[in-house]
Structures are given as structure tokens and as C-alpha cells.
């Protein structure tokens, strides 16, 4: 009994932790800093892009909830949910693609966090901040999943508190304008600077790259399935609780910002659009407050990335034979400590890459991440569609089919607008993962063979 317990992840996550984990994964620098970039690409029509992305996210997450409720293999996270419908090869592919996504994301967020901290300490090198983040993240993830969950809960709480404050301040400022100039003159800000879609349909499609990147991380809920206390109850509950909040926390602040300021001002500003609202409310040290929250948001994303990637590594390697199995060893807190060390070591690669690539690194990484998030969402939707064909209603089938078509069209749109180098490197990564699959070494194949031999 003790031997089994040592090889099993501990179930310490409840719906409160899982909800905040999903919010923390989906609300980050993409909102606080990247919203200005998205506005610059699409103008006020960025609201449409976030609305479209939110509708697709809702269908994908609803499908994910159905997969959890149907059963699946809860011992292998996302791949375990997909495997019964798309097969072992697809399960292997989705795990390694998702793993690579978090590895890339860890580097991207660490480099960004270091750049924001250098605003306070310009003479301190970036590698020092990344080292500090690596040590802190490692310690939090090594101790216990409960410590990680509580840390992530309060980091997400801090981010959400600032968003709620912006909404309150924004409503107050918009209300003042409406009392002074009237409703329609106030709302005319959305159309008075080149129209609602100044860059046309192309601008909306191009901005979807930023939108998908911003919403990415919500599917992290699936990774918690093996450590959730009663996952079939906690995870669907968390999905329902998180969906409206994610979309609201993007759409409402952006809508208020676009009413208060000309979109060109938001797009051209060197500071976060959040800072502009706080400054207009005469909040002292507005820039420092928002900068601090951005650093927390990035640290939260790094923290989540180490958690997700270390669990994916654990799922894929814990049943393989040979030396590589050592990476799946659990410590006394039932945490895969060697997987955590391996994943945090990637942060040091970020230091080297940032040295050679410079400021363009984040843009390259974000472009690759958008592809990966789309692929993950497409595979979740494909599995949910297969489930709907067997057990679902016409409504379930239609929703999942719509999600697949919409995601495919967005994929084509991003393919046409993304940097060619990023597209080629991402395609090579996918090809390497896809063709490296070997059935004889597959974790699921080995387990099935063991199960058959016992019976």
C-alpha cells in the first residue's frame, strides 16, 4: 500500500484552487501589457476578436468538461482524456506539444518579467532576476502541490483585484463623461478615429494571434485531474465558474479603455493601458503598482508552467523502463522533484536566448505559442466531437463541429499573418514530436499490455 502511495500524485486540489489556477493561467501579461498591442492591430474591433475567441474558448472548455465527466484516464491528465477518442499516438502528441508550449512559455514570461523588474533596478542584469525566479518557483513547486495551489490562488487573486479596480474606476470615469457630454458623444470614441474596424477584417484576424495567446492556459484545468479531490465534481464546477470571468475580465476592461481613450493613444503608449486609467484617477505611484502586478502575473504564469510541464513529464515517463524513469521519481511530499528541477532548468536557456535574440525574442515565442494553443484546443474539440457522436446531443455535435471549423479558419489566418521563421520552426517541432512516437515505448501501450497479462 505504501509502495503504491509513493508512486501516486497526492490529491490536494479542490475547485477553489482549480478555478484560480485556470484564471491565473489565462490572465497574464497578455491583458496588462499585450492589450495595447492587440488594439494597435485591430483598433476598436479587437472587441470582436476577443468575443470570437471567448465563444470558441467556451465551447472548448465545455467539451473538456464533458470528457472529464465521461471518464477517461484521469491518471494521465490531458492525454488520458483524449486517448479513448483519438488514440495513443494522438495522446502522445498532445502531451509533448503541450509540454513544449509550457517550456517556451516559461522562457517567454521569465524574459518579460526580468525586463519589467529592470524598470526599478536598471543596473541589475536580467539573468539575476531570472535566477531568482527560477529558485523561488522551484522551491514552491517542490514542497507540495498544496503550497503551489495556495501561492497560485493568491497571485491570481491579486491580478483579479487590479482588474476589478480598473473596471470600477473605468465605470466611474465613463459615467463622468456621460454626465458631461452625453451618452452618444462618449461612445463615439469607438468609431471616431478611422471607424470601428480601421484595419478591416485583416486586422481582426491578425489580432486573433494575440487573443488566442492571451486566452491560452485555461485548458490547464485538465492537468489537475490527477491531483484534484473528486475531479468529476471539482473540474466541471471550476470550468463553469471560470468561463464567464475570463471573458469578462478581458472584454469589459477593453471596452472601457476604448471609450476613455482614442485607440491610437492606447496602441502607441509605452506604458500599460491600465496605468493610464490609474493615473487619471490620480492614484499615486500608478505605474509602479501596475508594474508590480504585471510581475506577479508573469511569475504566476511561470509558476503554472513549471507545475504543468513537470506533471506532463511525470505522466509520460513514470511507466517507461530505463534510466529516464528517474525523472518521474516523487519526493516525500509526493511531488515529481526531478521533473520540477528539469523544467526550471529551462529558465536558464531563456537567459542565453535573450542575450542573442534581444527584444524580439518575446514576439517570436508568442507566435509559436499561438499555434500550439490552437492545436491543443483543436484536439480537445476533436475528442469532444467523437464523444458527442457516441453519446451527445445534436447541440453538442454542432458546437464541437463549429469549434473545429472556427479553430481551423483561425489557424489558416494566423498562418498567413505570422512570421515565416516562427511558422517553419514550429512546424519542425511538431514533425519531430509526431514522428518520434514509438508504440513499443508508449506509456499507454505498456500499461495496456500489463493489464492484459494480469487478466
Amino acid at each position: 500500500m505504501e509502495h503504491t502511495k509513493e508512486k501516486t500524485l497526492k490529491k490536494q486540489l479542490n475547485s477553489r484552487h482549480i478555478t484560480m489556477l485556470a484564471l491565473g493561467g489565462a490572465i497574464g501579461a497578455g491583458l496588462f501589457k499585450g492589450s495595447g498591442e492587440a488594439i494597435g492591430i485591430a483598433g476598436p474591433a479587437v472587441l470582436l476578436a476577443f468575443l470570437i475567441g471567448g465563444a470558441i474558448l467556451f465551447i472548448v472548455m465545455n467539451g473538456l468538461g464533458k470528457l472529464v465527466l465521461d471518464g477517461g484516464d484521469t491518471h494521465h491528465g490531458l492525454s488520458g482524456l483524449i486517448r479513448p477518442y483519438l488514440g495513443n499516438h494522438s495522446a502522445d502528441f498532445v502531451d509533448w506539444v503541450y509540454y513544449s508550449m509550457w517550456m517556451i512559455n516559461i522562457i517567454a514570461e521569465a524574459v518579460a518579467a526580468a525586463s519589467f523588474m529592470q524598470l526599478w533596478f536598471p543596473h541589475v542584469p536580467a539573468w539575476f532576476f531570472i535566477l531568482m525566479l527560477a529558485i523561488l518557483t522551484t522551491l514552491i513547486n517542490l514542497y507540495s502541490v498544496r503550497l503551489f495551489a495556495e501561492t497560485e490562488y493568491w497571485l491570481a487573486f491579486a491580478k483579479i483585484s487590479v482588474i476589478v479596480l480598473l473596471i470600477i474606476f473605468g465605470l466611474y470615469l465613463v459615467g463622468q463623461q456621460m454626465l458631461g457630454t452625453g451618452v452618444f458623444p462618449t461612445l463615439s470614441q469607438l468609431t471616431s478615429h478611422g471607424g470601428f474596424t480601421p484595419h478591416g477584417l485583416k486586422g481582426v484576424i491578425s489580432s486573433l494571434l494575440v487573443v488566442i495567446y492571451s486566452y491560452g492556459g485555461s485548458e490547464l484545468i485538465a492537468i489537475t485531474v490527477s491531483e484534484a479531490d473528486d475531479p468529476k465534481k471539482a473540474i466541471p464546477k471550476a470550468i463553469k465558474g471560470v468561463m464567464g470571468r475570463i471573458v469578462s475580465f478581458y472584454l469589459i476592461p477593453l471596452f472601457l479603455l476604448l471609450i476613455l481613450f482614442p485607440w491610437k493613444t492606447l496602441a502607441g503608449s509605452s506604458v500599460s493601458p491600465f496605468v493610464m486609467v490609474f493615473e487619471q484617477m490620480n492614484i499615486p505611484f500608478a505605474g509602479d503598482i501596475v508594474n508590480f502586478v504585471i510581475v506577479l502575473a508573469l511569475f504566476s504564469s511561470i509558476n503554472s508552467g513549471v507545475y504543468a510541464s513537470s506533471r506532463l513529464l511525470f505522466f509520460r515517463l513514470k511507466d517507461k523502463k530505463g534510466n529516464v524513469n528517474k525523472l518521474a521519481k516523487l519526493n516525500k511530499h509526493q511531488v515529481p522533484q526531478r521533473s520540477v528541477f528539469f523544467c526550471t532548468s529551462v529558465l536558464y536557456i531563456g537567459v542565453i536566448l535573450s542575450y542573442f535574440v534581444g527584444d524580439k525574442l518575446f514576439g517570436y515565442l508568442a507566435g509559436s505559442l499561438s499555434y500550439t494553443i490552437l492545436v491543443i484546443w483543436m484536439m480537445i474539440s476533436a475528442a469532444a466531437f467523437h464523444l458527442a457522436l457516441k453519446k451527445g446531443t445534436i447541440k453538442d455535435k454542432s458546437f464541437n463541429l463549429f469549434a473545429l471549423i472556427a479553430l481551423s479558419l483561425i489557424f489558416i489566418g494566423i498562418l498567413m499573418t505570422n512570421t515565416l521563421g516562427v511558422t517553419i520552426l514550429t512546424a519542425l517541432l511538431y514533425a519531430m514530436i509526431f514522428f518520434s512516437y514509438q508504440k513499443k515505448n508508449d506509456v499507454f501501450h505498456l500499461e495496456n499490455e500489463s493489464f492484459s497479462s494480469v487478466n
Side-chain angles (χ1 to χ4, degrees), residues 80-367:
L81 298 174
I82 286 175
R83 180 176 61 90
Y85 310 100
L86 303 184
N88 288 350
H89 196 166
S90 294
D92 179 85
F93 180 76
V94 78
D95 259 355
W96 288 119
V97 166
Y98 200 49
Y99 175 79
S100 70
M101 185 201 85
W102 280 113
M103 289 292 92
I104 294 169
N105 190 67
I106 286 171
I107 297 172
E109 304 289 77
V111 171
S115 69
F116 282 112
M117 284 189 275
Q118 282 183 311
L119 294 176
W120 291 320
F121 309 102
H123 302 297
V124 179
W127 66 262
F128 177 80
F129 292 120
I130 296 174
L131 177 64
M132 293 298 101
L133 287 170
I135 293 170
L136 186 58
T137 306
T138 303
L139 291 174
I140 289 171
N141 277 272
L142 276 181
Y143 185 72
S144 74
V145 68
R146 179 57 67 100
L147 176 63
F148 159 77
E150 286 296 333
T151 302
E152 194 59 31
Y153 178 90
W154 290 110
L155 287 173
F157 183 83
K159 289 188 284 187
I160 291 166
S161 297
V162 172
I163 297 169
V164 171
L165 277 176
L166 178 127
I167 292 172
I168 294 170
F169 292 159
L171 287 171
Y172 171 77
L173 293 171
V174 168
Q176 274 193 328
Q177 282 192 19
M178 285 184 175
L179 288 173
T181 61
V183 175
F184 292 108
T186 300
L187 295 176
S188 68
Q189 191 80 267
L190 294 169
T191 57
S192 59
H193 302 277
F196 185 71
T197 54
H199 298 144
L201 183 61
K202 184 181 178 181
V204 177
I205 294 171
S206 298
S207 70
L208 282 169
L209 188 150
V210 180
V211 171
I212 297 299
Y213 169 71
S214 298
Y215 280 154
S218 308
E219 69 293 323
L220 180 61
I221 284 177
I223 305 299
T224 68
V225 70
S226 61
E227 291 174 282
D229 184 16
D230 192 5
K232 291 190 178 183
K233 181 180 178 182
I235 291 179
K237 182 180 177 182
I239 288 172
K240 289 179 182 177
V242 83
M243 277 310 308
R245 295 177 210 177
I246 288 175
V247 178
S248 298
F249 289 159
Y250 275 95
L251 283 172
I252 296 174
L254 285 175
F255 178 68
L256 294 171
L257 286 167
L258 288 163
I259 291 174
L260 290 170
F261 306 100
W263 70 267
K264 290 182 179 180
T265 302
L266 294 170
S269 176
S270 59
V271 299
S272 167
F274 277 55
V275 174
M276 298 168 70
V277 173
F278 278 57
E279 285 178 342
Q280 197 152 328
M281 287 292 296
N282 297 316
I283 304 293
F285 307 108
D288 289 326
I289 292 171
V290 176
N291 194 57
F292 178 68
V293 172
I294 290 173
V295 171
L296 287 183
L298 291 164
F299 176 64
S300 169
S301 185
I302 296 167
N303 205 30
S304 297
V306 170
Y307 169 80
S309 55
S310 63
R311 269 41 176 195
L312 284 165
L313 206 57
F314 174 79
F315 294 146
R316 297 309 302 163
L317 301 178
K318 74 183 181 76
D319 291 310
K320 286 187 175 182
K321 296 177 181 179
N323 294 329
V324 75
N325 191 38
K326 292 179 180 179
L327 279 174
K329 186 177 180 181
L330 300 178
N331 63 14
K332 64 180 181 179
H333 302 292
Q334 291 169 260
V335 170
Q337 61 180 6
R338 293 178 182 178
S339 296
V340 170
F341 278 126
F342 183 82
C343 295
T344 52
S345 68
V346 174
L347 287 168
Y348 306 110
I349 297 174
V351 180
I352 300 169
L353 287 173
S354 64
Y355 178 80
F356 287 104
V357 181
D359 295 338
K360 294 181 179 179
L361 177 61
F362 188 83
Y364 292 151
L365 296 175

Side-chain angles (χ1 to χ4, degrees), residues 348-399:
Y348 306 110
I349 297 174
V351 180
I352 300 169
L353 287 173
S354 64
Y355 178 80
F356 287 104
V357 181
D359 295 338
K360 294 181 179 179
L361 177 61
F362 188 83
Y364 292 151
L365 296 175
S368 179
L369 288 168
S370 299
Y371 280 131
T372 305
I373 293 163
L374 277 172
V375 168
I376 297 296
W377 287 9
M378 287 170 77
M379 295 189 78
I380 292 172
S381 297
F385 181 66
H386 275 269
L387 172 61
L389 287 176
K390 291 181 180 179
K391 302 179 181 180
T393 62
I394 295 175
K395 181 182 177 182
D396 291 332
K397 296 173 190 174
S398 302
F399 274 179

